Amino acid sequence: MAQSAGKRGFFRSAFDALIEARQKQVRSYVNGALLMLDDETLRAHGYSRDELKRSRSVSHMF
């Protein structure tokens, strides 16, 4: 059974969803670690505490 080029298979879609969920989890973890740094260090590396708090406040299933 051939699939059209635009249609993804079930396992590929499930795998992509898993990867996306793990990426969100990693971003949340890293943002939490960055929030342990002082404001001067965050600014020196291009981050703001408010931005990190906003992006960490989203809850994830994993």
Side-chain angles (χ1 to χ4, degrees):
M1 183 159 124
Q3 291 182 346
S4 65
K7 189 175 180 182
R8 297 191 98 128
F10 170 78
F11 290 108
R12 181 61 193 195
S13 295
F15 181 74
D16 289 344
L18 177 67
I19 295 298
E20 184 178 343
R22 295 293 288 172
Q23 286 174 333
K24 288 178 183 178
Q25 182 185 23
V26 167
R27 276 192 295 269
S28 178
Y29 179 84
V30 170
N31 287 350
L34 288 171
L35 284 170
M36 290 188 246
L37 300 173
D38 61 287
D39 290 338
E40 184 179 328
T41 303
L42 288 175
R43 273 194 302 275
H45 292 284
Y47 296 102
S48 75
R49 186 166 300 281
D50 291 335
E51 176 185 319
L52 292 172
K53 283 181 181 178
R54 274 194 308 270
S55 63
R56 187 162 190 241
S57 66
V58 177
S59 63
H60 302 292
M61 190 168 110
F62 295 99

